[in-house]
Structures are given as structure tokens and as C-alpha cells.
Amino acid sequence: MTTSGTRAAHRPSRKQWVIEAATELFATQPPDEVTVADIAARAEMTSAAVYYHFSSKDQVLVEGMRVFATAMCAQVEELTEAHKAGSDIGPAITALVAWLGEHRSAATVFFVSSAGMSQEAEALRQESRSELLGGLVRLIHKARASVSDAEAAVIGLGLLALLETAANSQVRGDDVYRSLGHRSFVREVGDLAERIADPAVAG
């Protein structure tokens, strides 16, 4: 006989199903046009079951953003931990952009679809942005031990802006992304990250 605890370890929870279903919808439709009934249908459950876990579709949106932001910041920490001290930062940023591409729907919601949806969503985005910046600064310090805290912060802001722009370009599939193709796009972002992190590279 299988215990409920064992099942939970091997199967997504119904709450996770709701988040995943909603994320797919929010990534392909304007969030204000998505209804709880739409989310319920996508998750193959009733609207009442969705409301059991969330008070509104906005709460589903924010929780999905929170899950993605936590995973994204954890990815930066993992890349920082694996980064060889003193080595180029480009490959780590390339890996992060590639990771964003692997989580396209959630990245679309976080960086594009959710913009302006609610104060809670904006507050979460700013909180996550600060956490992501902190992770990038730690990565910079590991890559360039001699850099000052102030310089690392400025470089971190540059890398954060690059990542946000790259994420938007990638999830929208804009002209730049399409003209370069995925592999070249990711490689170019990594090269630019290296020039931002170490201006001497551009000289």
C-alpha cells in the first residue's frame, strides 16, 4: 500500500498542476482574458478545485511567478557555486540564458505577460530582481577577485539589464533572436556578458 506521502514525492500536487496549467495559458494569452474556468479546464479539474488552492487567478499568476523566480535565483547560485574562480563569466551567463529558454512559458509570464497586472506582481518582480542582482554580484566577485564592491554592483546591473533584454528577446522571438537563431543568440549574449564583466576584453 502506497502512503500519501510517497505519492506526493513522485507526483505533482494539484496546486502545482494549477500553476503549470495557468502558466501555459498566461504565456500564450493576455492574462486579463484568462479565466479561472480556463485554468481549471487546462488543469483538468473543476473551478472549485482551483479556488480551493487559490483565491483568484491573480494569486495563481503571482504564485507561478514566485516559483519561477525562486528557481531562477537558485540557478544563478548553482552556476556561481560551480564557477571556477578567476575564469570568464560568459559561459555562466550563456548557461543562464539557455536555462531561461528551457523554461520559456514561465519566463514569458515573468518577464512579459505579467507586466502591469497587479501591484503584488510588480512587487514580486522587484524583490526577485534584487535577489538576482545579488547573485550576479557574487558571481562577479568569484570571476574577478580584485573587483571592488562598487564596481561589482555596477557590473551586476549591466549583466541584469542584459539578461532581462535577452529574456524578452528570446521569449518574444523578436527580429534579433530570429535573425541570429537560438545558438548564435545565446553565444552572442555570453560574449557581451564577458565584455561587460571585463572591459579589457573589448579593448
Side-chain angles (χ1 to χ4, degrees), residues 82-157:
H83 192 77
K84 184 179 179 180
S87 63
D88 292 347
I89 206 171
I93 300 303
T94 297
L96 182 56
V97 174
W99 182 89
L100 291 172
E102 292 167 4
H103 298 80
R104 183 179 294 269
S105 292
T108 299
V109 175
F110 186 87
F111 290 105
V112 180
S113 306
S114 60
M117 277 298 296
S118 70
Q119 289 185 341
E120 188 176 3
E122 290 305 319
L124 173 61
R125 199 189 330 275
Q126 289 305 312
E127 177 185 330
S128 302
R129 197 171 187 270
S130 295
E131 187 175 348
L132 184 58
L133 176 59
L136 290 172
V137 168
R138 287 188 289 276
L139 176 61
I140 292 159
H141 274 300
K142 191 167 185 181
R144 294 180 60 195
S146 62
V147 72
S148 68
D149 289 346
E151 187 178 1
V154 172
I155 294 170
L157 284 171

